[in-house]
Amino acid sequence: YCNINIRIFVPRITLPMRVKKLLRKEHKVEFIIKNIPTLAEAGMTEGLVFEVSPVPQGVVGICYSRKSIVFDDKLAITNNTDTYKLNNFQIDKTSDLRLIICVPILSKSEDVIAIIAFDSRHEITVAEENKNKLSTSLLLFTRYLYDSIPELFKPKGVLL
């Protein structure tokens, strides 16, 4: 059988980021993982953080910058290259994954509120002719999840 984990990435709010934002200074934006026990195995991904702006890291960062679904069913190859600008910690945390699909959750003003990642340690290939159908289904599912349980998608950090 094949497990698919559902992981939620939300903005990470730190005091320096908050101050820079208030002063309208350029600041990096990071998304941090929220492993929900019934949706995903925490395993090695606990504490995983990706910069999404100004330098997008990983599939999460690309999803954030494009504001669209990103598929990678060759993660065993691409994860260890410079493709995703990952640091060694991030590579170590994600090295066992073979597939990832990231879906952004957008606000009415088209800002990325959160990103839901579907990942697996098993090789799963998504045929090109099925990507549109899968994308539509995942968009509907993620919006339903967000609308039904919005508290899962609150940012993590200080001064919230």
Side-chain angles (χ1 to χ4, degrees), residues 24-44:
R24 299 185 196 279
K25 290 189 175 186
E26 182 159 338
H27 63 285
K28 70 179 176 179
V29 178
E30 296 177 329
F31 272 41
I32 188 168
I33 197 166
K34 284 176 99 175
N35 282 313
I36 311 299
T38 55
L39 298 178
E41 295 178 55
M44 290 190 49

Side-chain angles (χ1 to χ4, degrees), residues 48 79-81 86-96:
L48 194 54
N79 203 44
N80 292 319
T81 66
L86 300 177
N87 60 39
N88 289 333
F89 177 78
Q90 293 163 326
I91 290 171
D92 289 346
K93 292 279 189 176
T94 59
S95 63
D96 63 338

Side-chain angles (χ1 to χ4, degrees), residues 134-152:
L134 181 58
S135 293
T136 300
S137 297
L138 291 175
L139 284 168
L140 290 171
F141 172 76
T142 55
R143 180 46 69 174
Y144 176 78
L145 189 61
Y146 175 75
D147 290 342
S148 299
I149 317 170
E151 57 273 10
L152 290 179

Side-chain angles (χ1 to χ4, degrees), residues 9-11 29-32 48-50 52 64 112-115:
F9 289 86
V10 297
V29 178
E30 296 177 329
F31 272 41
I32 188 168
L48 194 54
V49 176
F50 293 101
V52 296
Y64 178 91
V112 178
I113 299 168
I115 293 172

Side-chain angles (χ1 to χ4, degrees), residues 41-156:
E41 295 178 55
M44 290 190 49
T45 61
E46 197 59 41
L48 194 54
V49 176
F50 293 101
E51 181 177 334
V52 296
S53 176
V55 180
Q57 288 182 309
V59 179
V60 171
I62 292 171
C63 179
Y64 178 91
S65 65
R66 291 183 185 170
K67 297 183 182 186
S68 64
I69 293 178
V70 178
F71 292 81
D72 188 341
D73 56 5
K74 308 233 181 312
L75 202 57
I77 298 166
T78 57
N79 203 44
N80 292 319
T81 66
D82 198 37
T83 305
Y84 294 131
K85 298 177 178 63
L86 300 177
N87 60 39
N88 289 333
F89 177 78
Q90 293 163 326
I91 290 171
D92 289 346
K93 292 279 189 176
T94 59
S95 63
D96 63 338
L97 299 178
R98 300 294 173 255
L99 164 81
I100 188 164
I101 304 170
C102 286
V103 183
I105 297 178
L106 303 176
S107 67
K108 290 179 182 168
S109 60
E110 297 287 313
D111 293 321
V112 178
I113 299 168
I115 293 172
I116 297 183
F118 300 85
D119 67 55
S120 178
R121 291 185 205 155
H122 304 278
E123 287 190 33
I124 302 171
T125 302
V126 180
E128 281 301 319
E129 62 270 15
N130 294 329
K131 285 188 177 180
N132 283 338
K133 290 177 188 174
L134 181 58
S135 293
T136 300
S137 297
L138 291 175
L139 284 168
L140 290 171
F141 172 76
T142 55
R143 180 46 69 174
Y144 176 78
L145 189 61
Y146 175 75
D147 290 342
S148 299
I149 317 170
E151 57 273 10
L152 290 179
F153 301 91
K154 293 188 190 247
K156 286 177 81 171

